[in-house]
Structure formats: C-alpha cells, structure tokens
C-alpha cells in the first residue's frame, strides 16, 4: 500500500521548482507518493510576499501539475479533518508559549488542516515549521523535515548529488536556509558537502 507524503507550503516552494515532477512523484520501497492539498495553493495566493519570491508558482507547467495531481477530499474526509483540526488548534491554545518560543509563530489553521490530513489519511506531513513538529510530536503524528524527504529522494535515485547542491544553492540565494537545513548540509549530506568546516 502506498503512503502519501503531504507537502506543506514552504516545503513545496523549496522543492517543487527543481524536482520535476514533484506532485505525484513516487519513490522508495514503501512506496511513497508526493501529494498536495488546495490549501497550499490558496496560502500562496493570499500571501503577496510568497507570490513575489516565487514567481514560477503560477507558471502553466506547475499550475497544471498541481491541478492534475491535487488530492480531492470527500465531504466525509473534510468533516473528519475539521474535527481533528479543531482539536489540534485547541492543543496549541492550551500552551501557546510552547509554540511561540524563539520568535516562532504557532501553528495556524492551514498547518492544523495539513496535520489533520496526516491523521485521517495516515499520510506523512513534510514541513520545516518547528511548531508543527512540536504539535505533531504532542499528538503522535508522523512528520518529516524537507531535508529528510530530499535525502529519501536521493536514496531512491529520484534526485542526484548535483540537484541536492542546486537546491542548497537556491536556499542560500533566496535567504531561505533554515537551521535544520543548514545542520543537515554537513550531516545528512556530508558525502556531498563534506563535514562542517
């Protein structure tokens, strides 16, 4: 049985331009398949900064891929996800300080919707949002960092070392290098970049 790997907005933006095709990509022995929900597209369209930094997002090639491969939710799925989303939002509100330390924003409605999908569908959510990782750990949901998915794609020979270098170059150029990606550069991808200088 295939396990879905659901990309959050920032992970999609970090990887989808270079890993072609991203949505619908199958990899690994499990096997995994990469999926996306409409809320990711809506989040980009609502955010002028994201649209400005990612002008490629609405190019026909990417828009058509998302439309063709977008996961459709039944009314029952939406109802179940809404209940889980409400519980997750409530969990955040119970201890808001846990999610706002180090200048972070707490998981919002879209974040909780994606985690709810993970809960209902048994999917792995891919996010670099540390607040989402904290919340997922609290409720026992499986999440990966973006670099973990990239490492699995590399192991499955979907991406090669040159593409990993390309993705890291783009993160640096765009000022989008998170602490976890930076740490992974010389740990997870040590064979490509070498040990930390």
């Amino acid at each position: 049985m295939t396990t879905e790997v659901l990309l959050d907005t920032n992970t999609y933006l970090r990887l989808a331009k270079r890993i072609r095709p991203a949505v619908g990509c199958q990899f690994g022995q499990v096997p995994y398949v990469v999926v996306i929900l409409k809320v990711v597209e809506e989040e980009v369209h609502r955010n002028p900064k994201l649209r400005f930094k990612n002008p490629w997002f609405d190019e026909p090639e990417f828009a058509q891929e998302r439309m063709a491969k977008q996961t459709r939710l039944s009314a029952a799925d939406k109802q179940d996800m809404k209940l889980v989303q409400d519980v997750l939002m409530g969990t955040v509100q119970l201890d808001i300080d846990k999610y706002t330390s180090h200048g972070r924003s707490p998981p919002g409605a879209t974040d909780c919707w994606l985690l709810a999908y993970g809960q209902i569908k048994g999917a792995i959510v891919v996010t670099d949002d540390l607040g989402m990782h904290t919340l997922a750990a609290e409720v026992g949901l499986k999440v990966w960092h973006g670099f973990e998915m990239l490492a699995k794609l590399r192991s499955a020979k979907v991406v090669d070392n040159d593409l990993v270098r390309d993705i890291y170059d783009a993160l640096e150029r765009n000022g989008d290098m998170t602490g976890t990606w930076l740490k992974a550069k010389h740990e997870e991808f040590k064979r490509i970049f070498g040990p930390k200088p």
Side-chain angles (χ1 to χ4, degrees):
M1 189 170 151
T2 304
T3 299
E4 291 182 323
V5 176
L6 176 66
L7 304 185
D8 82 341
T9 305
N10 284 323
T11 306
Y12 176 83
L13 294 174
R14 287 183 180 119
L15 299 176
K17 184 176 180 188
R18 287 168 183 81
I19 298 171
R20 307 295 313 130
V23 183
C25 172
Q26 294 195 15
F27 64 98
Q29 293 177 343
V30 167
Y32 298 111
V33 63
V34 177
V35 298
I36 192 167
L37 296 181
K38 185 148 185 70
V39 293
V40 166
E41 194 156 4
E42 291 166 354
E43 191 168 47
V44 173
H45 287 151
R46 276 195 317 266
N47 188 319
K49 184 178 173 186
L50 288 179
R51 283 200 322 271
F52 177 76
K53 286 179 77 174
N54 301 280
W56 58 269
F57 184 81
D58 281 321
E59 288 175 7
E61 172 189 0
F62 298 99
Q64 287 165 6
E65 176 186 306
R66 288 192 307 272
M67 178 132 352
K69 305 278 183 161
Q70 195 174 85
T71 299
R72 308 278 188 255
L73 298 170
S74 69
D77 286 339
K78 288 179 184 174
Q79 187 176 358
D80 291 346
M81 285 171 63
K82 178 70 177 116
L83 291 172
V84 174
Q85 180 189 37
D86 289 346
V87 169
L88 293 171
M89 294 290 289
T91 302
V92 171
Q93 293 305 314
L94 284 173
D95 191 359
I96 198 86
D97 291 343
K98 182 189 296 184
Y99 301 98
T100 55
S101 60
H102 310 296
R104 295 180 304 178
S105 299
T110 299
D111 301 326
C112 290
W113 185 252
L114 296 175
L115 289 173
Y117 183 90
Q119 169 75 39
I120 298 299
K121 295 292 196 176
I124 297 166
V125 178
V126 186
T127 179
D128 293 312
D129 182 323
L130 298 180
M132 285 178 73
H133 278 264
T134 301
L135 180 56
E138 189 102 340
V139 296
L141 293 175
K142 180 108 172 152
V143 289
W144 291 345
H145 287 281
F147 74 81
E148 290 177 271
M149 182 178 137
L150 183 60
K152 289 178 191 311
L153 288 168
R154 182 175 166 265
S155 294
K157 302 196 180 339
V158 173
V159 302
D160 60 16
N161 292 350
D162 288 340
L163 190 52
V164 172
R165 280 189 207 93
D166 207 26
I167 287 167
Y168 265 91
D169 286 347
L171 292 175
E172 287 173 4
R173 270 195 322 275
N174 297 334
D176 196 22
M177 183 72 72
T178 69
T180 53
W181 276 87
L182 191 56
K183 188 171 182 232
K185 183 175 184 180
H186 300 290
E187 289 180 8
E188 188 71 48
F189 302 111
K190 191 173 175 179
R191 285 189 173 178
I192 303 172
F193 297 106
K196 191 171 181 180

